[in-house]
């Protein structure tokens, strides 16, 4: 972001960043992103790996898709999800590392 960028553009960028942060602000969504790793997976595979209900996984995948964090591929009757960008996995790892660093003296943020 440059110094010359108009305030309206800056506000729009912050709004988009906030929407992305909201989408990441759920432990199950972070688990889904981490579980996807670098491979395509179906909802049923994610349900099995994460021990979550199918409706819950589908709900979270819709939100991750809305914020462009995952991509969808249909193959016949099957639907597969994958990370939209491999750097997303780095972001999840960074968030985990940062929380570990910040919480050295206590268990939780609250």
């Amino acid at each position: 972001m440059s110094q010359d960028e108009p305030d309206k553009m800056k506000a729009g960028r912050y709004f988009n960043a906030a929407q992305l942060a909201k989408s990441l602000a759920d432990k199950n969504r972070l688990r889904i992103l981490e579980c996807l790793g670098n491979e395509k997976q179906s909802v049923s595979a994610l349900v099995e790996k994460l021990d979550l209900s199918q409706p819950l996984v589908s709900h979270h995948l819709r939100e991750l898709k809305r914020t462009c964090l995952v991509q969808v591929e249909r193959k016949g009757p099957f639907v597969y999800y994958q990370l939209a960008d491999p750097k997303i996995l780095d972001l999840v790892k960074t968030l985990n590392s940062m929380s570990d660093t910040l919480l050295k003296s206590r268990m939780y943020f609250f």
Side-chain angles (χ1 to χ4, degrees):
M1 216 172 344
S2 72
Q3 294 283 8
D4 298 332
E5 187 173 19
D7 286 341
K8 283 187 178 183
M9 288 181 72
K10 287 180 187 177
R13 290 171 58 102
Y14 287 125
F15 175 81
N16 290 335
Q19 293 302 306
L20 184 59
K22 284 181 188 178
S23 186
L24 292 170
D26 183 279
K27 67 179 179 182
N28 287 325
R29 289 187 197 132
L30 293 174
R31 290 177 62 211
I32 288 169
L33 291 171
E34 190 172 59
C35 192
L36 285 173
N38 295 316
E39 61 181 318
K40 297 176 189 175
Q41 294 192 50
S42 66
V43 174
S44 58
L46 292 168
V47 165
E48 188 175 316
K49 289 179 181 180
L50 297 168
D51 195 31
L52 298 171
S53 71
Q54 184 274 323
L56 184 60
V57 170
S58 293
H59 164 76
H60 287 305
L61 286 167
R62 274 191 303 278
E63 176 62 18
L64 293 169
K65 180 182 170 195
R66 184 187 71 77
T67 52
C68 303
L69 290 168
V70 298
Q71 295 175 333
V72 181
E73 181 180 323
R74 291 188 179 276
K75 285 188 180 179
F78 301 101
V79 179
Y80 295 92
Y81 291 85
Q82 66 184 25
L83 295 178
D85 186 315
K87 291 182 280 189
I88 294 166
L89 196 54
D90 294 335
L91 179 59
V92 172
K93 290 176 182 177
T94 299
L95 287 171
N96 282 330
S97 176
M98 180 61 69
S99 67
D100 289 346
T101 300
L102 294 172
L103 292 172
K104 284 186 179 187
S105 64
R106 54 186 180 162
M107 295 282 290
Y108 303 103
F109 284 113
F110 47 89

